[in-house]
Amino acid sequence: MNTRFNSIRLLLASAVLGVFATFTYAESTTPQYGEHLTTEAQFQQLKAGDKVVYVCNECKTSSEVTIKSPAQAMELCKEHATVTCPSCKMKTKVVLKRQREEPISHTEVVYTNDKGEECAFYAKKK
C-alpha cells in the first residue's frame, strides 16, 4: 500500500515539475521586441535615442538600431527605399501595402526581398 502512494506522489511531483519547466522555457524564448512598426504614424512617433529592432526572417536574426533623428526614422518607412540587414547584408525594399477598399491613411509598411516576399520587419524595443 505504501509503494502505491509513493508512486502516485512521484508521478504528481513529476507532472508539477514538468509544468514549471514548460513555463520557464516559454519565458526564455519570447522575443525581445515589442509591437511591430507597421504604419508611417508609428515611425513618426520615434524620437532620437529610441531603440528599434530589425528582425530579418532570411537569416533569422534581430539587430538593435538606435534612431539618430526623426528623419532617419522616416527613411525606414519611405516607399521604394532600401534597408540593409546588419547581419546578412541582404537588401530589402520598402513597400507600402494599400487595400482598395480602405482609405489611403490605412497603409502598411512592408519589407520585401527580390522575389516580393515579406522578409523583415521593425519593432519597438521592449
Side-chain angles (χ1 to χ4, degrees):
M1 185 89 171
N2 194 13
T3 58
R4 181 184 219 179
F5 287 117
N6 284 341
S7 298
I8 292 173
R9 278 194 275 172
L10 182 62
L11 184 61
L12 184 61
S14 297
V16 170
L17 183 62
V19 168
F20 285 125
T22 303
F23 285 131
T24 303
Y25 178 75
E27 182 65 29
S28 68
T29 60
T30 56
Q32 297 301 313
Y33 47 85
E35 70 174 301
H36 293 203
L37 300 173
T38 58
T39 65
E40 288 184 64
Q42 290 173 315
F43 283 94
Q44 287 173 343
Q45 293 173 354
L46 296 174
K47 301 177 286 296
D50 285 350
K51 296 188 185 298
V52 295
V53 178
Y54 179 80
V55 180
C56 178
N57 295 331
E58 296 293 319
C59 65
K60 309 282 191 259
T61 61
S62 59
S63 305
E64 185 177 300
V65 177
T66 303
I67 300 298
K68 295 179 182 115
S69 69
Q72 179 207 9
M74 293 311 294
E75 282 296 316
L76 299 176
C77 68
K78 184 178 174 184
E79 191 167 24
H80 304 297
T82 58
V83 178
T84 304
C85 174
S87 297
C88 68
K89 306 300 182 210
M90 183 183 79
K91 292 190 181 214
T92 59
K93 183 177 176 183
V94 180
V95 177
L96 296 182
K97 215 187 220 182
R98 296 179 179 95
Q99 293 184 356
R100 293 179 189 234
E101 297 84 33
E102 294 182 5
I104 291 178
S105 62
H106 293 287
T107 59
E108 183 179 352
V109 179
V110 177
Y111 301 88
T112 62
N113 59 16
D114 294 338
K115 299 173 188 170
E117 301 166 337
E118 291 183 35
C119 63
F121 63 89
Y122 276 97
K124 282 190 173 181
K125 176 101 168 130
K126 267 190 182 178

